[in-house]
Amino acid sequence: MPDNTTTKNTTKFYGRRKGKKLHATRQTAYDEVLPTIRIDLPEKNTSLNPSSLFNTDVKEIWMEIGFGDGGNLAHMAQNNPDIGMIGCEPFINGVATLCRDISAHNITNIRVYPDDARQLMSFLPTASLARIYLLNSDPWPKTRHHKRRFIQKDTLDEIHRLLQPEGLLRMSTDHPGLAAWEMEKTWAHPGFTWIANHADDWRKRPAEMVETRYQKKQMAGMAPVFMTFQRNG
Ligand SMILES: C[S@@+](CC[C@H](N)C(=O)[O-])C[C@H]1O[C@@H](n2cnc3c(N)ncnc32)[C@H](O)[C@@H]1O
């Protein structure tokens, strides 16, 4: 299997890959844990069965795109041991924090692609995921940078392809411009239905999730909104 770093980028990633030097505990966790949970891309023109990544049978596969420090992914994994969790995150400091937590809590049902989620997604089979989480995606507030936002027509088509019928796309943000963008684009996509019957459905965090690092910061100042779209059956 080729190393991910040699895989040709078809899409450009504009975020940070590295922050401050890692402290010893996180560096050790990164060095020791990541090789055991890391997803390597398969050969070109093949696909990767996500269930095969886990050591035990998993009921469903959930994916979190841009997990940051992995707090929500670790929380969901611990509370749902029969679900296989895939996390994608190019920022190695965040990946190292998740590795530390996986080691500290002996979490066995997380696999990580430490790079741009779009690369991995293109190798996953149709209807292979039950849920996709995109929490506090980078807002890219300047109009000329809107094309860098994760949700675009082509990524929505890909999310739609990967979700099983009635599978869920959960998004959250405290950025008003991004909330409107994600809502409008996903609403306009014919393959999704917005699941919200009451105001609490978009004001309250879904029960399986935990407050993320970015939600705690509330940088954009607005209370977070939670959008759940269901892939049409
Ligand atoms: C604003 S942070 C939010 C992190 C986390 N979800 C939270 O709520 O604390 C957005 C994260 O998405 C990651 N990201 C951006 N584009 C990505 C992509 N194409 N694939 C995977 N992760 C991505 C960034 O590296 C960053 O860690």
Side-chain angles (χ1 to χ4, degrees):
M1 287 226 261
D3 185 89
N4 293 346
T5 51
T6 61
T7 304
K8 188 170 176 286
N9 268 324
T10 49
T11 42
K12 191 161 165 42
F13 171 68
Y14 292 95
R16 277 194 310 169
R17 289 185 185 274
K18 225 177 160 189
K20 285 187 198 149
K21 189 176 182 316
L22 296 175
H23 286 301
T25 325
R26 283 198 298 162
Q27 184 67 57
T28 305
Y30 183 84
D31 292 341
E32 291 178 358
V33 177
L34 186 60
T36 68
I37 59 167
R38 175 186 176 124
I39 302 173
D40 289 315
L41 297 183
E43 299 293 345
K44 219 174 147 194
N45 299 326
T46 61
S47 72
L48 177 67
N49 172 7
S51 301
S52 70
L53 298 167
F54 299 91
N55 298 335
T56 54
D57 282 348
V58 288
K59 199 172 73 180
E60 292 181 345
I61 309 281
W62 299 358
M63 171 187 269
E64 186 171 334
I65 297 167
F67 59 70
D69 69 0
N72 179 64
L73 193 61
H75 174 86
M76 293 198 305
Q78 284 180 285
N79 290 319
N80 299 278
D82 52 351
I83 306 290
M85 303 284 174
I86 293 180
C88 303
E89 176 55 68
F91 185 54
I92 68 162
N93 298 56
V95 173
T97 303
L98 176 64
C99 288
R100 183 197 63 194
D101 294 345
I102 286 175
S103 172
H105 302 291
N106 291 318
I107 302 172
T108 57
N109 56 331
I110 295 180
R111 296 293 178 270
V112 167
Y113 182 63
D115 211 321
D116 188 327
R118 294 167 295 184
Q119 297 170 347
L120 175 65
M121 289 163 80
S122 67
F123 284 96
L124 296 178
T126 296
S128 56
L129 305 179
R131 296 188 186 185
I132 295 179
Y133 291 82
L134 180 67
L135 310 178
N136 307 295
S137 183
D138 293 314
W140 294 111
K142 292 181 183 154
T143 308
R144 70 173 188 279
H145 290 154
H146 285 179
K147 56 181 177 296
R148 298 181 181 182
R149 289 175 169 170
F150 192 85
I151 291 294
Q152 306 287 345
K153 173 75 171 71
D154 57 347
T155 41
L156 276 174
D157 286 344
E158 189 66 334
I159 288 169
H160 181 262
R161 181 184 74 79
L162 292 177
L163 281 175
Q164 295 159 0
E166 303 187 353
L168 300 181
L169 166 62
R170 288 210 200 273
M171 297 183 283
S172 71
T173 181
D174 64 355
H175 188 279
L178 183 63
W181 173 278
E182 291 182 336
M183 180 55 91
E184 279 165 23
K185 291 246 179 297
T186 318
W187 180 276
H189 193 290
F192 294 101
T193 302
W194 184 35
I195 305 292
N197 298 315
H198 311 283
D200 272 359
D201 291 338
W202 51 270
R203 282 189 195 142
K204 281 181 98 172
R205 190 171 55 247
E208 80 278 14
M209 287 166 44
V210 74
E211 192 175 39
T212 69
R213 189 153 181 266
Y214 272 78
Q215 272 156 17
K216 279 185 197 129
K217 287 191 195 167
Q218 276 212 14
M219 304 215 312
M222 182 180 89
V225 292
F226 300 91
M227 295 163 270
T228 297
F229 285 84
Q230 188 168 48
R231 185 207 191 276
N232 296 335

